[in-house]
Amino acid sequence: MSQGTGREYEQLRISGLHAFYGESHILHGIDLVVNRGELVTLLGRNGAGRSTTLKAIMNMVGRRTGSIMINGEETMSCAPHHIARLGVGYCPEHRGIFSSLNVQENLTLPPVVRSGGMSLEEIYTMFPNLYERRFSQGTKLSGGEQQMLAMARILRTGANMLLLDEITEGLAPVIVEKLGDVLIALKEKGLTIVLVEQNFHFAAPLADRHYVVEHGQIMEEIRADELSAKQSVLNGYLGV
Amino acid sequence: EISDNMVKMGYLADMSGTYRDLAGPNGLKAMEMAIKDFGGSVKGAKIEVVSADDRNSPDVASSTVRRWVENDKVDMIGGMVASSVTIAATKILEENNKLGIVSGSAASSITNEHCTPNHIHYVYDTYALSIGTPTAIVQEGGKTWFILTADYAFGHAMEADVTRVVEANGGEVVGSIRHPFPTPDFSSFILQAQASGADVIALANAGADTTNAINTASEFGVTQGGQTLAALVLFLSDVHALGTDVAQGIQLTTGWYWDMNDETRAWSDRFMEATGARPTMVHAGIYSSTMQYLKAVEATNSDDSQTVRKYMMEHPINDMFAKNGVIREDGRMVHDMYLAEVKTPEESSGEWDLYNIVRTIPADEAFRPLSESKCKLVSM
Amino acid sequence: MILNGVLLVLLVLAPLVMYPVFLMKILCFALFAVAFNLLLGYTGLLSFGHAAFLATGGYTTGYLLSNVPWLTTELGILAGTLMATALGFGFALLSIRRQGIYFAMVTLALAQLVFFFFVQSSFTGGEDGMQGIPRGELFGLIDLNDNLNLYYFILAVFLGCYLLVQRTVGSPFGQVLNAIKQNEPRAISLGYNVNRYKILAFVISAALAGLAGSMKAVVFQLASLNDAHWHTSGEVILMTLVGGAGTLLGPVVGATFVVNVEYQLAQGPLRDWVDPILGGIFVLTVIAFRSGIVGEIQKFMRKNLS
Amino acid sequence: MSEQYVLETRNLVKEFKGFVAVDDVNLKIRQGDIHALIGPNGAGKTTVFNLLTKFLIPTRGRILFKGQDITAMKSAAIARKGVVRSFQISAVFPHMTALENIRIALQSFEGNSFSFWQSGNRLNKLNERAMELLDAVGLTRYANTTTVELAYGRKRALELATTLAMEPELLLLDEPTQGMGTEDVDRVVELVRKAAQGRTVLMVEHNLSVVSKLCDRITVLAQGAVLTEGDYETVSADPRVREVYMGTDASGERGAPAATTETEA
Amino acid sequence: MSMIFGVPVAVLSGQLLIGVINGAFYALLSLGLAVIFGLLKIINFAHGAMYMLGAMVTVIMFDAMGVNYWVALFLAPVLVGVFGMLIEYFLLRRIAGQDHIYSLLLTFGAALMIQGILTNIYGVSGLRYSIPDLFKGGVNLGFMFLPYYRAWVIAVALVVCFGTWFMIEKTKLGAYLRAGTEDAQLMQGFGINVPLLISLTYGFGVMLAAFAGVLAAPIYSVTPVMGSHILIVVFAVVVIGGMGSIGGAIITGVLMGVIEGLTKTFYPPASSAVIFLVMVVVLMFRPAGLFGKEA
Ligand SMILES: Nc1ncnc2c1ncn2[C@@H]1O[C@H](COP(=O)(O)OP(=O)(O)OP(=O)(O)O)[C@@H](O)[C@H]1O
Ligand SMILES: Nc1ncnc2c1ncn2[C@@H]1O[C@H](COP(=O)(O)OP(=O)(O)OP(=O)(O)O)[C@@H](O)[C@H]1O
Ligand SMILES: [Mg+2]
Ligand SMILES: [Mg+2]
């Protein structure tokens, strides 16, 4: 999976991205490219700015400068709802389950932005817990169940680029395993995925490429096939 | 001797709240009209006016009045509507020996238990209002009465006065309801009043409460049901707001009406020119009392409160507001009051053509006799 | 420190140039706002019923001073404060378990019931107000009918209370209040019985508000229903926010500002426009100076110093 | 009878409108153990914690702490008795610095918390101990940073340090390593090990490597009921546990899809 | 005639009916307030002013252009609603996400301005407006005289209340609204134009208040201060019902109308305080109100 073969469609290109929360300057010039059908991860230590990068793509941080192209379209001046309508699905770090809605309402809440999303039945087969609790208030779910719901919710919308922030957080190993299968299946369907993950063992076998983020900058780009060669560099960054 | 070679008057009233239309900004206009008509100066001393919104708060009134008399050399204060404001203000005037002429307040306690040698109550009071209307109605055959009373001292006083008058004339009060102040919806009370079967439903309340009650009474067909409505405190501005449609036939007592004679009409034309509205009795009272005050200052060549008050007491008032009005030792200015009836839409020739004056209530009947007074100034 | 010194000197000299009764009014409202801010700014509790304490203090003091001839003024004020404290304790017991806006509304409801009580009671003088309260003598010695004497007495009480609140906010107790304000469940799990802390804070606040009311009754020689009306509860919120909630000086500045603006406008050519202008000031505060006058100055200084 | 058990539950049940989240659970936590509560998502682990600390009221059953019935006690009283929890979702005082966060916890032992007339400087003596705790979780650098500004993982570390400040006899940790990088996970493991000296720990954790490294005893919950109990070897060998919880990978690292195993070796 | 506590049954039934009618007003007003608080977390102290504007606009439009009641019934709420949206767009939007208390201060300030300006133009005595001809008069029910207009008020208010409840609780749009208030940013991240939704919601809540104002214009004295008295009563209703509970606001509105009506019969002086007594008692036992969900 090499770059620049030309036939590849560039779904996301970020260049020189800076982001701020009020006074504090968090991202210091991020540059990255994701092609259609690729799964890339953002790796890094706590506080490196990975979540912020995803939020910046969604225009959910205080202030941004630089350029973010989605499907070749500049989105720096777009409101978040326009960005979502370009086919971007975002699963936030803190889940964002709505307590005023029940599980099923939470699940069907995000509007469908493109055809080809999963059906409710497919989702319930994938996460039987959710089916069982479908009429409970969203926030009454257990931590892990909420995490499943947050992920499941954007699978329905048909978004073709997913920004996933720590989706294995708090999940039992069986479920994590199942999520891995889901991501593989999504990738096969041609979806583009940007994954922020702490759980490297989960991410490593799924990803085509890894970006290492530190202090709000991309420090390293590692292709899947270089992984073993660059393991020590990576360990250095991640402090393993 | 006129102090500082200047006569300084203060106008204190509710400029923005519930009582705004009673005295309010137009009352200030009336005061200024009087000064202008008087010539702008007394014996070479300039006449000046300061004014303030009392915001219906005795605190505000008290700090304003204190500053006026203690710092700003104000000699006389006029206006004053809410009773708490009036009582607070007159206490301070007494302490500082300045003069107050109260035109807006209704409470008869102002010249009774709260009387001071430093103020005059000029236009009307609850005692006077509750004499005329009940007497007339009972005499016309309205024997049984039901009273809707605003649940505060003012309402209670009115209720007691009405009861006394009704009973003295051979009528009977069959029931009463004390409603909270303010009450936005009167339907429940009107219903109870209807159910009582009384001949007359009397409203011992004021302002928006009264207009709301009258509106509701009309909606629930009180008069069609054969009952009479008697509003005890109803001003021209209220009737104007209600319209003759709703208010027709209501009897009320007033101290003055703009359309009584050529003199009143001439003055109120000028007032209307300045303000866009016809004057209430309070506006007329403010004009008249300011005039009388300035005359007294001129005559005595003094702005000392006791000198001026004494002069005013000794000289009966004869102007467009009152004929043979007399200021008594308790500070009450007694003058004729009038029983009025609201015109029907057919009778009315314009938006301000609202009353027929039915009867004159002579001054000595209209006000609480000195023999019943609790005022400390009244010598037994 | 220097700032505080300058302010103190100004306060001591103020009656030489300004009208003392007006200054005392400001001090009373400032104390009222300081008391309120202890709850809003430092405990995160929005009370919408503080008028009840102001009025209770005022009526109690007024009633006693008018009817108990031997009572010296400071005892009358003390009695008013105690009465408000007791009422505050009652309010606290009934309301403290409610959260957020419900807390605000329970306090409002309780205050409305207190208002109803005052309307119905004859000793308050109803809407005429309780008038002609004697100012009396301090310790039976100093004549408080003299405006300056009274001013310095009120100033001393005010400063004492201000320092007390300052101390309270920084005290170990104040730290716990701050913790409760920020994350109540967490404070509970750290072993704090948060309700007791909130109750104590509420009672202190009610006591100081009652004290403000008692002093106000002495200054104006009257107590009226306006003090108990919910508008007064609202007004103290506004004063606090305009000055800056959660800052010590904020409520003082806010009270000074609001009382002044109201007073100056009511006198001037814009006297019919007091309400809309005040309304405009509130809107402006929220839009442009959200942290209040003092809060914004602090922010500005912090920015320019770092 | 049960001297060696710090904490026992007897037939503990919690129902939510007909849904049984905790179903007749009998836990026995031995003095000095690090005891893990594991199980699939929604098994009822957090609910058990909530019952133990009275954030929820049990529908039925009893809770004994050191032989004493604490079923009827309130949250704060239980915390003062020495049963302290950390939260699954990070709970800090956002507008205090990290140091102040810890100090508030330490202060609850001081007994002067109602002294509104005392100077706040009296609390400075707590700073030293607070710094030690911050150091232990690697937050020394952030002592004076306002907590809102900390990244998520650091908030979790702070939360843990605060809990430790309570010097609990029984420490309840709900997913202490959630949201942390590998580096921090290792540090937390060390920290918990250190903290566990002289006290008992009950923890919920999905990171099996942490469980295997730390825990003396493990209770597996599934659908609100106890599935099995034992040490790591016994439990991880149980096919039922593999089926409902661990999945195909029981290597001890965090759960991961089957494909991982190759890369890992 | 049979009596209950010394009150004839006929009178009592009349009082109950009156209570329900007033309750319908409360329901309409508290509904708007509940929508605004529940969905936007804005404490709308301008609600009374919006109610007043509804009535004032009706009268002013009639005086100036002869716009009749039926047209005003639609036009006035729309105008006031648009005005509300402007307030939302230019003012409230800037404090989104801030503590409740700022919205309280801001809307209170706005209400003071609106009220003050109108007071200076129109005074406080009230403007004249009469009942539309269709509803003049009434029917004698035996136990009371029921003005047609009151019957109309109750019918139309209940229809509007139910419609609103249905829209918010049972439709997708309602779900967007509820979710958008919890985490607007995330909702926007899902592709929903949340700012527009918020404007519309505020406008809608205000419209309900203005609608109540139009209904009130023929029967109550129309003045710039007519909304300020009713404001905290309506707040109390919303709190008793449970802030944010749409159904709760409606049911409680009617219930409080009845309770107030009964108090007016048995102990009139307390009728303005009774709602607060009920509130204290209710919150004692149900911390989140009758129909509120506990946090
Ligand atoms: N709302 C905020 N205000 C101020 N600073 C923030 C805010 N949110 C995050 N930060 C800061 O931004 C930096 C990057 O945070 P971010 O959440 O992107 O980190 P991350 O790489 O996702 O780490 P983690 O694994 O902890 O989630 C951190 O230093 C954090 O302190
Ligand atoms: N307050 C509540 N009301 C209704 N159901 C609830 C409530 N709290 C928890 N539940 C349900 O009880 C079950 C157990 O939840 P709990 O949070 O204890 O799970 P858990 O074992 O901690 O799971 P996880 O590992 O995902 O955190 C879940 O199915 C959840 O939906
Ligand atoms: Mg992150
Ligand atoms: Mg859990």
Side-chain angles (χ1 to χ4, degrees):
Chain A
M1 193 154 301
S2 57
Q3 291 156 291
T5 50
R7 72 181 165 83
E8 269 162 10
Y9 180 86
E10 205 176 87
Q11 184 130 19
L12 174 70
R13 167 177 288 275
I14 300 179
S15 24
L17 178 67
H18 290 253
F20 307 79
Y21 286 114
E23 301 292 301
S24 42
H25 190 170
I26 306 295
L27 299 185
H28 302 263
I30 297 273
D31 298 286
L32 58 81
V33 180
V34 185
N35 291 324
R36 168 158 300 170
E38 257 194 318
L39 192 158
V40 305
T41 66
L42 302 182
L43 303 175
R45 300 189 199 206
N46 288 124
R50 299 163 302 150
S51 301
T52 307
T53 307
L54 297 193
K55 282 199 209 158
I57 296 173
M58 295 306 297
N59 192 4
M60 289 179 174
V61 293
R63 190 159 66 82
R64 316 172 295 168
T65 61
S67 150
I68 300 172
M69 316 273 279
I70 298 174
N71 297 331
E73 193 181 318
E74 179 58 61
T75 64
M76 286 304 279
S77 57
C78 286
H81 60 273
H82 289 299
I83 296 172
R85 296 272 167 191
L86 295 173
V88 184
Y90 170 60
C91 178
E93 193 168 23
H94 292 288
R95 302 175 184 140
I97 302 303
F98 297 107
S99 69
S100 53
L101 306 182
N102 68 23
V103 172
Q104 183 143 323
E105 285 172 321
N106 261 289
L107 207 49
T108 53
L109 183 73
V112 171
V113 291
R114 265 166 203 251
S115 58
M118 287 167 95
S119 71
L120 212 53
E121 292 78 62
E122 283 176 281
I123 286 173
Y124 280 145
T125 0
M126 191 181 304
F127 302 109
N129 284 38
L130 297 185
Y131 180 73
E132 215 174 292
R133 314 282 298 135
R134 66 190 180 284
F135 298 124
S136 302
Q137 191 187 336
T139 43
K140 293 271 165 77
L141 291 184
S142 82
E145 288 166 340
Q146 291 190 28
Q147 186 62 59
M148 296 177 207
L149 180 54
M151 171 73 196
R153 184 162 64 174
I154 54 167
L155 297 180
R156 245 193 80 259
T157 65
N160 61 1
M161 176 161 80
L162 304 183
L163 310 178
L164 308 178
D165 201 345
E166 314 257 7
I167 51 169
T168 62
E169 196 62 49
L171 291 183
V174 255
I175 307 287
V176 174
E177 216 169 272
K178 197 156 22 164
L179 264 186
D181 298 340
V182 172
L183 290 192
I184 290 169
L186 292 174
K187 217 173 92 171
E188 272 162 12
K189 272 171 79 178
L191 269 73
T192 312
I193 298 172
V194 182
L195 189 65
V196 167
E197 224 2 291
Q198 290 288 7
N199 187 347
F200 183 62
H201 299 276
F202 169 76
L206 303 172
D208 300 310
R209 284 183 297 126
H210 304 275
Y211 284 105
V212 180
V213 184
E214 193 161 291
H215 300 311
Q217 280 171 311
I218 302 286
M219 305 305 287
E220 195 83 30
E221 181 189 339
I222 303 174
R223 290 198 307 277
D225 53 9
E226 305 171 315
L227 204 53
S228 36
K230 289 199 175 171
Q231 189 72 46
S232 58
V233 184
L234 189 59
N235 287 351
Y237 281 118
L238 302 184
V240 181
Chain B
E1 234 9 48
I2 293 175
S3 59
D4 337 297
N5 200 28
M6 175 148 82
V7 174
K8 202 159 178 183
M9 293 193 234
Y11 177 76
L12 182 71
D14 175 9
M15 299 286 207
S16 52
T18 2
Y19 303 125
R20 180 185 183 273
D21 293 355
L22 193 53
N26 288 354
L28 178 60
K29 289 255 170 63
M31 190 183 249
E32 287 165 349
M33 263 173 86
I35 294 167
K36 197 155 153 260
D37 292 352
F38 193 82
S41 63
V42 207
K43 297 234 163 172
K46 235 179 114 230
I47 307 171
E48 251 189 44
V49 180
V50 289
S51 63
D53 183 359
D54 64 31
R55 306 182 63 68
N56 282 330
S57 147
D59 290 4
V60 173
S62 133
S63 46
T64 306
V65 172
R66 263 185 202 280
R67 191 166 105 169
W68 277 352
V69 297
E70 289 177 9
N71 264 22
D72 299 352
K73 309 201 166 86
V74 167
D75 303 300
M76 180 278 239
I77 292 177
M80 291 179 273
V81 188
S83 59
S84 58
V85 162
T86 304
I87 298 167
T90 52
K91 286 229 148 64
I92 295 166
L93 291 170
E94 183 178 16
E95 260 174 56
N96 293 275
N97 196 20
K98 302 287 175 188
L99 189 65
I101 302 181
V102 181
S103 296
S105 281
S108 61
S109 64
I110 289 170
T111 50
N112 203 19
E113 57 264 42
H114 294 298
C115 77
T116 76
N118 290 79
H119 72 267
I120 294 165
H121 198 184
Y122 203 79
V123 179
Y124 70 108
D125 64 23
T126 46
Y127 186 97
L129 292 182
S130 48
I131 286 271
T133 321
T135 311
I137 295 177
V138 177
Q139 281 165 6
E140 280 162 29
K143 292 291 179 201
T144 52
W145 285 61
F146 191 93
I147 310 178
L148 288 184
T149 309
D151 189 24
Y152 57 98
F154 154 78
H156 300 171
M158 294 282 285
E159 185 185 323
D161 286 343
V162 173
T163 308
R164 189 177 42 76
V165 174
V166 168
E167 284 168 359
N169 284 284
E172 189 196 350
V173 174
V174 295
S176 72
I177 290 179
R178 296 196 165 172
H179 69 78
F181 162 79
T183 291
D185 184 84
F186 272 86
S187 47
S188 176
F189 300 130
I190 292 294
L191 215 59
Q192 294 179 52
Q194 279 181 311
S196 75
D199 300 334
V200 184
I201 300 175
L203 305 176
N205 49 21
D209 280 347
T210 306
T211 48
N212 268 322
I214 292 172
N215 252 322
T216 308
S218 141
E219 191 194 353
F220 279 75
V222 162
T223 23
Q224 286 94 314
Q227 288 172 303
T228 306
L229 207 57
L232 300 172
V233 186
L234 196 62
F235 299 98
L236 190 72
S237 47
D238 297 326
V239 176
H240 178 249
L242 286 165
T244 45
D245 220 13
V246 170
Q248 57 181 304
I250 292 178
Q251 299 203 333
L252 58 103
T253 303
T254 184
W256 184 83
Y257 177 54
W258 70 270
D259 200 12
M260 293 195 298
N261 54 50
D262 288 343
E263 215 181 343
T264 58
R265 272 188 291 274
W267 181 75
S268 58
D269 284 348
R270 289 204 293 132
F271 182 86
M272 183 127 181
E273 214 163 283
T275 64
R278 288 290 177 194
T280 63
M281 61 170 155
V282 175
H283 295 138
I286 290 171
Y287 178 89
S288 159
S289 60
T290 308
M291 245 355 183
Q292 297 302 333
Y293 171 77
L294 291 174
K295 278 184 191 154
V297 173
E298 187 171 48
T300 57
N301 193 19
S302 162
D303 55 5
D304 167 66
S305 66
Q306 293 313 314
T307 318
V308 174
R309 191 173 185 261
K310 185 154 173 286
Y311 179 90
M312 289 176 81
M313 283 169 68
E314 284 163 0
H315 296 78
I317 294 157
N318 274 300
D319 61 5
M320 65 91 188
F321 177 75
K323 295 284 168 270
N324 282 316
V326 174
I327 297 169
R328 302 190 309 204
E329 53 202 292
D330 61 352
R332 179 68 255 171
M333 201 279 263
V334 294
H335 57 96
D336 294 349
M337 299 285 287
Y338 305 92
L339 182 67
E341 189 178 70
V342 178
K343 289 186 172 174
T344 61
E346 295 74 43
E347 288 173 304
S348 167
S349 66
E351 65 168 325
W352 293 100
D353 181 17
L354 297 169
Y355 295 170
N356 285 317
I357 299 294
V358 182
R359 187 167 92 82
T360 301
I361 307 160
D364 48 353
E365 270 177 41
F367 292 91
R368 187 198 316 275
L370 280 178
S371 57
E372 288 172 23
S373 178
K374 282 186 238 154
C375 173
K376 61 189 177 191
L377 301 170
V378 177
S379 40
M380 289 296 134
Chain C
M1 268 297 108
I2 301 169
L3 181 71
N4 284 347
V6 172
L7 284 178
L8 186 64
V9 171
L10 284 181
L11 280 173
V12 171
L13 297 180
L16 301 182
V17 283
M18 281 175 77
Y19 184 55
V21 173
F22 183 61
L23 287 172
M24 291 189 271
K25 177 175 185 176
I26 290 178
L27 285 179
C28 292
F29 275 101
L31 178 57
F32 186 34
V34 166
F36 173 79
N37 187 41
L38 181 64
L39 280 185
L40 179 70
Y42 292 102
T43 318
L45 292 175
L46 171 59
S47 159
F48 214 130
H50 258 48
F53 310 126
L54 188 79
T56 302
Y59 277 132
T60 309
T61 303
Y63 182 79
L64 291 176
L65 290 180
S66 305
N67 291 288
V68 185
W70 53 265
L71 200 73
T72 51
T73 308
E74 75 285 350
L75 290 179
I77 290 178
L78 186 67
T81 310
L82 288 178
M83 200 69 172
T85 312
L87 184 72
F89 186 61
F91 267 47
L93 287 183
L94 291 172
S95 65
I96 216 74
R97 283 167 207 281
R98 306 289 87 96
Q99 302 287 330
I101 192 77
Y102 289 100
F103 176 80
M105 288 297 154
V106 177
T107 47
L108 170 65
L110 290 169
Q112 287 297 104
L113 297 180
V114 170
F115 180 79
F116 178 66
F117 170 76
F118 286 144
V119 169
Q120 293 293 317
S121 308
S122 56
F123 79 95
T124 59
E127 89 286 4
D128 284 351
M130 187 185 274
Q131 305 258 6
I133 299 166
R135 281 185 178 176
E137 289 168 346
L138 185 62
F139 310 122
L141 294 171
I142 303 165
D143 181 14
L144 293 178
N145 286 308
D146 181 300
N147 275 339
L148 278 185
N149 288 351
L150 186 59
Y151 175 77
Y152 287 113
F153 169 62
I154 300 247
L155 180 61
V157 175
F158 170 79
L159 289 175
C161 293
Y162 183 82
L163 292 177
L164 176 75
V165 170
Q166 185 173 35
R167 183 86 168 185
T168 301
V169 166
S171 73
F173 174 70
Q175 301 287 325
V176 180
L177 292 186
N178 188 13
I180 292 172
K181 179 184 173 196
Q182 294 188 27
N183 191 341
E184 190 172 331
R186 185 61 179 150
I188 296 174
S189 73
L190 291 180
Y192 291 106
N193 186 337
V194 296
N195 287 339
R196 289 203 193 163
Y197 291 86
K198 290 200 228 166
I199 289 175
L200 180 56
F202 196 98
V203 170
I204 296 175
S205 174
L208 295 179
L211 176 57
S214 294
M215 295 199 303
K216 189 167 152 293
V218 172
V219 171
F220 287 116
Q221 304 184 267
L222 61 86
S224 73
L225 282 176
N226 287 42
D227 294 345
H229 199 270
W230 70 268
H231 274 171
T232 305
S233 298
E235 201 163 31
V236 73
I237 301 179
L238 303 178
M239 288 175 177
T240 308
L241 289 180
V242 167
T247 63
L248 278 167
L249 214 47
V252 181
V253 172
T256 311
F257 180 79
V258 173
V259 171
N260 247 303
V261 166
E262 230 173 273
Y263 186 73
Q264 300 303 344
L265 285 178
Q267 307 279 312
L270 290 172
R271 67 187 117 52
D272 313 358
W273 294 88
V274 182
D275 282 339
I277 291 174
L278 273 181
I281 290 175
F282 299 148
V283 171
L284 199 69
T285 305
V286 175
I287 297 296
F289 318 100
R290 191 163 313 137
S291 316
I293 300 170
V294 174
E296 292 293 337
I297 292 175
Q298 281 180 356
K299 252 203 240 165
F300 179 81
M301 301 226 286
R302 225 176 292 140
K303 212 192 251 173
N304 289 21
L305 290 182
S306 58
Chain D
M1 39 154 198
S2 52
E3 279 319 289
Q4 78 273 38
Y5 297 123
V6 184
L7 186 88
E8 275 185 84
T9 66
R10 304 248 171 95
N11 309 95
L12 198 60
V13 175
K14 179 68 192 177
E15 291 173 6
F16 294 110
K17 299 205 183 106
F19 175 83
V20 185
V22 173
D23 188 1
D24 206 21
V25 167
N26 293 293
L27 279 179
K28 287 184 166 54
I29 316 291
R30 278 194 314 238
Q31 178 90 51
D33 266 5
I34 301 182
H35 193 124
L37 199 56
I38 65 171
N41 297 114
K45 306 178 293 290
T46 302
T47 309
V48 168
F49 268 38
N50 283 336
L51 294 173
L52 294 180
T53 49
K54 299 312 274 299
F55 278 67
L56 289 173
I57 311 295
T59 313
R60 277 189 295 283
R62 296 204 299 146
I63 304 166
L64 305 180
F65 179 62
K66 295 199 290 188
Q68 186 194 350
D69 193 327
I70 57 166
T71 322
M73 275 190 193
K74 296 224 170 84
S75 287
I78 288 176
R80 278 193 302 273
K81 274 198 122 13
V83 182
V84 182
R85 74 178 297 188
S86 75
F87 286 81
Q88 186 168 9
I89 290 161
S90 79
V92 288
F93 300 115
H95 299 289
M96 292 189 189
T97 65
L99 185 73
E100 286 167 339
N101 260 278
I102 310 262
R103 264 189 10 184
I104 280 289
L106 293 172
Q107 191 193 326
S108 65
F109 298 104
E110 289 292 298
N112 60 358
S113 291
F114 282 105
S115 316
F116 61 84
W117 55 89
Q118 281 180 356
S119 160
N121 293 338
R122 284 179 174 249
L123 296 175
N124 285 344
K125 62 174 190 242
L126 302 175
N127 287 359
E128 197 182 322
R129 173 81 186 119
M131 284 311 293
E132 272 172 40
L133 285 160
L134 283 176
D135 200 37
V137 292
L139 288 178
T140 319
R141 263 194 329 130
Y142 301 97
N144 293 316
T145 309
T146 312
T147 317
V148 253
E149 290 165 19
L150 292 179
Y152 185 60
R154 296 207 178 96
K155 279 187 199 145
R156 304 262 337 155
L158 177 61
E159 149 92 23
L160 188 61
T162 318
T163 312
L164 286 177
M166 297 291 291
E167 296 287 343
E169 268 193 70
L170 173 62
L171 180 59
L172 305 177
L173 302 175
D174 199 353
E175 304 200 34
T177 67
Q178 194 186 82
M180 292 192 180
T182 334
E183 185 187 19
D184 296 322
V185 169
D186 292 341
R187 194 176 313 112
V188 168
V189 168
E190 279 322 300
L191 183 64
V192 173
R193 206 195 298 283
K194 240 196 294 175
Q197 279 161 15
R199 61 171 68 98
T200 314
V201 177
L202 176 62
M203 65 194 287
V204 171
E205 183 57 67
H206 285 300
N207 187 332
L208 289 179
S209 91
V210 172
V211 174
S212 68
K213 277 185 220 157
L214 272 179
C215 299
D216 305 302
R217 210 170 164 74
I218 296 164
T219 301
V220 185
L221 278 186
Q223 308 204 335
V226 176
L227 186 69
T228 179
E229 208 175 271
D231 60 11
Y232 187 74
E233 275 69 44
T234 332
V235 167
S236 61
D238 190 324
R240 288 176 306 169
V241 177
R242 284 184 159 264
E243 191 203 321
V244 302
Y245 182 64
M246 292 187 178
T248 49
D249 169 50
S251 63
E253 272 299 343
R254 275 196 194 185
T260 350
T261 23
E262 291 110 68
T263 359
E264 219 186 341
Chain E
M1 218 187 315
S2 50
M3 310 273 265
I4 294 177
F5 299 122
V7 177
V9 170
V11 173
L12 205 59
S13 9
Q15 293 298 337
L16 283 177
L17 184 57
I18 287 289
V20 172
I21 296 170
N22 282 331
F25 260 111
Y26 284 155
L28 210 50
L29 280 167
S30 55
L31 177 62
L33 206 57
V35 167
I36 292 173
F37 181 81
L39 301 179
L40 308 182
K41 301 285 175 269
I42 292 171
I43 300 183
N44 189 28
F45 257 65
H47 212 68
M50 297 299 174
Y51 162 75
M52 173 273 284
L53 273 182
M56 290 287 287
V57 166
T58 303
V59 181
I60 294 166
M61 285 194 311
F62 177 77
D63 288 347
M65 297 169 282
V67 175
N68 75 20
Y69 176 82
W70 300 104
V71 178
L73 205 52
F74 289 93
L75 197 55
V78 168
L79 287 177
V80 177
V82 169
F83 178 65
M85 285 172 67
L86 292 177
I87 290 187
E88 196 283 329
Y89 186 83
F90 287 107
L91 301 176
L92 287 167
R93 182 159 297 190
R94 290 161 195 256
I95 54 162
Q98 303 289 334
D99 197 298
H100 291 336
I101 196 168
Y102 293 109
S103 62
L104 185 156
L105 183 59
L106 195 149
T107 49
F108 183 73
L112 276 184
M113 290 173 76
I114 299 169
Q115 252 174 41
I117 291 168
L118 289 178
T119 300
N120 271 298
I121 302 174
Y122 295 100
V124 293
S125 303
L127 306 181
R128 280 184 227 194
Y129 195 70
S130 54
I131 296 177
D133 289 338
L134 181 61
F135 291 130
K136 284 230 164 84
V139 52
N140 200 327
L141 299 179
F143 57 88
M144 73 176 281
F145 176 87
L146 177 66
Y148 293 130
Y149 190 78
R150 301 263 169 169
W152 153 251
V153 164
I154 191 169
V156 71
L158 292 181
V159 167
V160 169
C161 284
F162 180 79
T164 306
W165 172 83
F166 185 84
M167 188 187 78
I168 289 169
E169 297 293 341
K170 299 290 156 194
T171 67
K172 189 85 187 181
L173 180 66
Y176 286 165
L177 282 170
R178 282 176 282 148
T181 58
E182 277 184 57
D183 189 341
Q185 199 182 45
L186 184 58
M187 278 302 283
Q188 212 173 351
F190 288 151
I192 289 156
N193 189 345
V194 176
L196 178 65
L197 206 58
I198 289 178
S199 278
L200 288 173
T201 308
Y202 189 76
F204 179 72
V206 160
M207 257 175 81
L208 287 173
F211 186 74
V214 184
L215 289 182
I219 48 176
Y220 297 141
S221 152
V222 179
T223 79
V225 292
M226 68 190 283
S228 65
H229 301 308
I230 206 162
L231 178 70
I232 61 165
V233 175
V234 174
F235 257 105
V237 170
V238 176
V239 169
I240 295 170
M243 307 253 0
S245 163
I246 305 300
I250 299 170
I251 296 172
T252 313
V254 177
L255 211 62
M256 287 305 112
V258 171
I259 289 181
E260 209 183 74
L262 291 179
T263 316
K264 281 176 174 171
T265 316
F266 289 107
Y267 185 46
S271 58
S272 64
V274 67
I275 287 191
F276 298 100
L277 188 64
V278 171
M279 177 151 109
V280 172
V281 173
V282 165
L283 293 189
M284 214 86 281
F285 296 102
R286 291 195 57 100
L290 289 176
F291 301 92
K293 296 188 196 88
E294 294 205 26

